[in-house]
């Protein structure tokens, strides 16, 4: 999915100029312009920060304008929007569920892919997951951990954290967090 045209669609539907969104998100309007032209691809954490200026969750961003689903309880692979970019696929289960209380992801990391150069923090909640395959470096509050298939994690989402595939093959994580903050 092209993030740029989608951002422009959402911004225009919310009747925001590039300048206004940039001001709200704390970036330059040139940054908004470059993203909308697909000349720059923001990291997940940067996109979340940008969407806070609308305000809109990452899940709402990727499901904006989608028609209602027939089956509300089962989510086939094509019904799981990909919230990631730059070698990171974040497939969201239940994106269209109203008032979700948790976020469930299937995370696929290409070799060398990560969640971005900056650590992610949330204002509240907890996060947990299990590495299904591959080798993942998980940094939590400055502490570096190397996880392999079968290893799990559970931590407060308020701590700065970052994920990175340090292996030669694709890595896969199944994760959940509360509240459903994106």
């Amino acid at each position: 999915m092209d993030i740029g045209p989608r951002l422009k669609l959402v911004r225009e539907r919310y009747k925001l100029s590039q300048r206004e969104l940039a001001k709200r998100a704390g970036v330059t309007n040139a940054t908004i312009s470059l993203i909308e032209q697909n000349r720059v691809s923001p990291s997940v954490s940067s996109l979340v920060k940008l969407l806070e200026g609308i305000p809109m969750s990452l899940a709402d961003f990727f499901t904006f304008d989608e028609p209602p689903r027939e089956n509300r309880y089962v989510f086939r692979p094509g019904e799981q929007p990909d919230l990631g970019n730059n070698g990171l696929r974040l497939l969201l289960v239940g994106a269209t569920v109203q008032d979700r209380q948790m976020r469930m992801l299937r995370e696929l990391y290409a070799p060398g892919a990560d969640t971005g150069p900056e650590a992610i923090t949330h204002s509240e909640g907890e996060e947990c997951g299990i590495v299904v395959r591959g080798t993942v470096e998980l940094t939590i509050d400055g502490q570096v951990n190397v996880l392999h298939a079968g290893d799990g994690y559970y931590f407060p989402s308020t701590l700065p954290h970052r994920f990175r595939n340090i292996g030669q093959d694709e890595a896969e994580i199944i994760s959940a967090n509360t509240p459903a903050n994106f």
Side-chain angles (χ1 to χ4, degrees), residues 1-16 21 36 54 56 60-66:
M1 174 181 296
D2 286 332
I3 290 175
R6 180 162 285 274
L7 178 61
K8 183 175 181 178
L9 171 72
V10 168
R11 178 182 58 75
E12 289 175 347
R13 289 278 175 86
Y14 277 77
K15 297 181 177 15
L16 295 172
L21 178 56
E36 288 185 355
I54 292 178
M56 175 180 271
D60 290 342
F61 177 74
F62 283 99
T63 58
F64 189 75
D65 269 4
E66 284 195 8

Side-chain angles (χ1 to χ4, degrees), residues 1-123:
M1 174 181 296
D2 286 332
I3 290 175
R6 180 162 285 274
L7 178 61
K8 183 175 181 178
L9 171 72
V10 168
R11 178 182 58 75
E12 289 175 347
R13 289 278 175 86
Y14 277 77
K15 297 181 177 15
L16 295 172
S17 66
Q18 287 182 348
R19 185 175 313 268
E20 179 61 24
L21 178 56
K23 181 180 172 185
R24 289 181 179 192
V27 299
T28 66
N29 42 320
T31 300
I32 303 291
S33 178
L34 290 171
I35 292 169
E36 288 185 355
Q37 296 172 42
N38 274 342
R39 292 177 56 201
V40 172
S41 183
S43 68
V44 173
S45 57
S46 296
L47 184 57
V48 167
K49 179 182 174 187
L50 190 63
L51 293 175
E52 286 172 354
I54 292 178
M56 175 180 271
S57 73
L58 206 53
D60 290 342
F61 177 74
F62 283 99
T63 58
F64 189 75
D65 269 4
E66 284 195 8
R69 300 179 67 247
E70 237 178 79
N71 187 336
R72 303 179 316 165
Y73 305 110
V74 175
F75 299 88
R76 307 285 180 209
E79 299 169 333
Q80 300 169 21
D82 185 355
L83 312 181
N85 60 14
N86 298 329
L88 170 58
R89 297 183 64 211
L90 298 173
L91 304 172
L92 179 62
V93 177
T96 57
V97 173
Q98 293 293 324
D99 302 318
R100 280 182 304 118
Q101 299 301 303
M102 72 174 143
R103 181 203 71 198
M104 182 81 176
L105 290 174
R106 178 177 177 220
E107 306 178 29
L108 301 167
Y109 294 78
D114 59 31
T115 52
E118 301 167 12
I120 301 166
T121 57
H122 302 286
S123 60

